[in-house]
Amino acid sequence: MTRPARIQLQRRAGWRMPPNTVKVDRATRLGNPFVIVNDTPDERAASVRRFAICMTQPATWQRHACLAIARGGRAGEGYFLDIKTRLPDLRGRNLACWCRLCAAHQAGKPFGVSCTACAPCHADVLGELANGLRCEALATSAAA
C-alpha cells in the first residue's frame, strides 16, 4: 500500500482525482473555516496553524477559539467536533485541496513530510491527525 498524501486539485483537461482520495477544499464540510485575509504565504500558514490548534486543543479552549469562526453559517465548535468524528474515515486516504504543491511533490506530498516549497494546507493537518503522525503545523507554531 502506498503512503497517503496530499493531492493538488487541478482543472486540467482529463485530470481525475486518484483513487482512494477525498476532496477537503472549502466547498466541502472538511474545508478550512478560517478566512485568509491576504493570500500571502504567512497568512496562509497562520490559517493552517489556527486550524491545527482548534483540532488539537482541549474542548474548553476550543469553544472560545472556534466561536470566532462562525462566519459563513458554520458554528465553530460543532464544525471541529464533526471533523474529529470523521478522522477515522480519512485514515489511509489521500486528501485533495487546491493549495499549491511544489514541483517535487506534483504526484502528491506524503503526510508527515515537511516541505517549505509547498503551500501550507489544512489537508496536511487532517492527514497527519488521521494517520497518527506528529502534526507539523503545531510544531511550526511552537517554534514561532
Side-chain angles (χ1 to χ4, degrees), residues 28-106:
T28 70
R29 292 180 59 116
L30 297 170
N32 185 350
F34 291 100
V35 176
I36 299 172
V37 179
N38 301 310
D39 198 9
T40 64
D42 288 342
E43 180 59 27
R44 187 167 291 281
S47 172
V48 170
R49 278 194 302 274
R50 288 191 295 269
F51 182 85
I53 289 168
C54 269
M55 284 297 296
T56 57
Q57 292 299 316
T60 54
W61 187 90
Q62 183 179 326
R63 263 194 286 282
H64 298 301
C66 297
L67 287 176
I69 63 152
R71 298 180 180 140
R74 285 194 178 134
E77 182 185 2
Y79 171 80
F80 285 100
L81 292 176
D82 183 43
I83 284 187
K84 285 184 180 185
T85 62
R86 292 170 180 238
L87 283 178
D89 298 335
L90 300 179
R91 183 170 289 121
R93 312 244 350 237
N94 298 322
L95 302 180
C97 192
W98 294 102
C99 298
R100 184 186 54 76
L101 291 172
C102 70
H105 292 116
Q106 285 302 299

